[in-house]
Amino acid sequence: MPHLLLLHGALGHSDIFTPYLNTLSQYFTVHTPLFSGHGNLELPSEGISIEKYTQELSEYCEVNNLTDVFIFGHSMGGYAALCYAMKSPEHVNSVITLGTKFDWSEEQALKESKMLNPDVILEKIPQYAQLLESQHGSKWKQLLPAIADLMIDLGKNPPLENNLAMINIPIQIMVGDKDNMVTIEESSRVYRSLPNAKLAVLPDTKHPLDKVRPSLLLNLIKDFWNLS
């Protein structure tokens, strides 16, 4: 069976893919790795960056001998997937991204990163703080500023910027029409910059993966990868 990697977003967890595993495992050997700092994985002492996560992806594929891998990435997972495809196109069959933010300016990154203050989250969205603690343990408070740094770093030096034309493999860029983090415009711009891409806009769909209707997403995945 071909291999499929399901990649979670920043502050996400591989648990979010549970509703999809039954269906997808009929077609693929499914892998749901965690990025460092997430779940039970420690935060690296040198901090995290999109380059670090791309390297982790590369090492995971090497260790598991994945040389023609299919990848689905949500949010930051999609960004890391495209960085890996740019770096090692010979190892990637194709990529689907959903809700991946591509327009990273320093100003944008600073705006996004200000929302990642543990004290503010505890005070204003205590149920989100609870979820983060249940997924990542007590280190969630260190993970937030580390992700903020990753965003600021992306704003200063977005690795995909001006390099999209190099990625020749089949790619489907997907975005929800009610995503308040990612615009249809930036998704469309990236789709047009890729030589072998499709674009899908999911109706009545917000950014978090647990707000996406599994039947809708599975139908789009099956259509793109010709699964019947």
Side-chain angles (χ1 to χ4, degrees), residues 125-147:
I125 342 172
Q127 68 278 24
Y128 185 45
Q130 250 175 333
L131 173 71
L132 289 171
E133 179 144 13
S134 72
Q135 289 181 330
H136 313 296
S138 58
K139 71 169 182 313
W140 73 271
K141 290 183 179 175
Q142 286 81 52
L143 180 58
L144 284 165
I147 292 289

